[in-house]
């Protein structure tokens, strides 16, 4: 029995780590998409060269600010702070952990039954989020700078394998 348990412990630890990194990736994408949606769609930023061409013109274009690289980079620097607004939920049938918001964006009451809220969960999630944001910054900017569908699945499952078990996880709206 001891040998069997010793063989299973690394698997449990690996699954816990996979659940954490998958949850952090999915929460990170949710938070970024929510932040992008909060920006006035009419707000633009000038991109391009500010040098004057020989004909006296400038090669400057205006792009929507919400999905600009400048805005996304700024969001990536601070978005992982939002992980303290998440708790851990254990699926009773699969024993897999998922991470859910415990504080709504709009102040509506949330069903927190079965959700574990503690500082260790929040700090682990924040650390995982920061690691993912740093390691996959280019991919996040690439996906989010264009209005891509299913960014969570495309980034967290297909591009990174952080959620290779999670293609069946239902999409949740924030």
């Amino acid at each position: 029995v001891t040998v069997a348990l010793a063989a299973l412990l690394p698997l449990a630890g690996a699954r816990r780590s996979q659940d954490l990194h998958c949850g952090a990736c999915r929460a990170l994408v949710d938070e970024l998409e929510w932040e992008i949606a909060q920006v006035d769609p009419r707000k633009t930023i000038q991109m391009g060269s500010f040098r004057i061409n020989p004909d006296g013109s400038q090669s400057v274009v205006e792009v929507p600010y919400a999905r600009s690289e400048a805005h996304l980079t700024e969001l990536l620097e601070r978005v992982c702070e939002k992980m303290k607004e998440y708790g851990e939920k254990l699926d009773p049938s699969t024993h897999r952990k998922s991470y859910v918001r415990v504080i709504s964006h709009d102040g509506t009451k949330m069903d927190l039954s079965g959700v574990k809220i503690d500082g260790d969960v929040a700090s682990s999630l924040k650390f995982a989020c920061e690691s993912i944001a740093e390691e996959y910054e280019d991919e996040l900017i690439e996906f989010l700078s264009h209005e891509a569908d299913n960014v969570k699945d495309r980034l967290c499952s297909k591009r990174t394998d952080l959620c290779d078990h999670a293609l069946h996880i239902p999409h949740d709206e924030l």
Side-chain angles (χ1 to χ4, degrees), residues 46-57:
Q46 290 188 338
M47 303 288 290
S49 171
F50 289 94
R51 286 189 287 177
I52 308 239
N53 295 329
D55 66 358
S57 65

Side-chain angles (χ1 to χ4, degrees), residues 15 21 28-29 33 40 45 47 49 70-71 95 101 107 109 126 128 136-137 140 151-152 154 156 169:
R15 190 167 89 178
H21 284 85
L28 170 62
V29 172
E33 287 180 331
D40 182 344
I45 185 172
M47 303 288 290
S49 171
H71 183 235
H95 299 288
R101 260 189 163 279
K109 188 104 172 93
K126 181 177 182 268
Y136 298 107
E137 178 178 3
L140 283 159
V151 173
K152 269 193 281 196
R154 289 176 61 199
C156 302
I169 293 177

Side-chain angles (χ1 to χ4, degrees), residues 61-91:
V61 291
E62 288 201 355
V63 297
Y65 176 71
R67 293 186 182 275
S68 68
E69 188 172 338
H71 183 235
L72 294 173
T73 302
E74 177 190 317
L75 288 178
L76 281 170
E77 290 175 11
R78 61 181 167 81
V79 73
C80 292
E81 290 296 322
K82 302 274 186 188
M83 296 302 120
K84 62 183 165 215
E85 298 173 8
Y86 281 75
E88 184 178 82
K89 193 168 193 162
L90 186 66
D91 184 310

Side-chain angles (χ1 to χ4, degrees), residues 6 9-10 32 36 38 81 96 108 117 121 134-135 150 161:
L9 279 175
L32 289 169
I36 289 167
Q38 301 313 299
E81 290 296 322
R96 295 217 82 128
T108 56
I117 304 168
V121 167
E134 185 176 324
E135 186 171 348
N150 299 329
D161 288 333

Side-chain angles (χ1 to χ4, degrees), residues 126-145:
K126 181 177 182 268
F127 182 76
C129 175
E130 289 167 343
S131 300
I132 293 164
E134 185 176 324
E135 186 171 348
Y136 298 107
E137 178 178 3
D138 293 341
E139 287 87 347
L140 283 159
I141 289 172
E142 174 191 331
F143 282 129
L144 294 167
S145 63

Side-chain angles (χ1 to χ4, degrees), residues 8-21 96 162:
L8 290 175
L9 279 175
L11 292 174
R15 190 167 89 178
R16 194 166 33 251
S17 176
Q18 184 184 38
D19 288 351
L20 175 68
H21 284 85
R96 295 217 82 128
L162 291 168

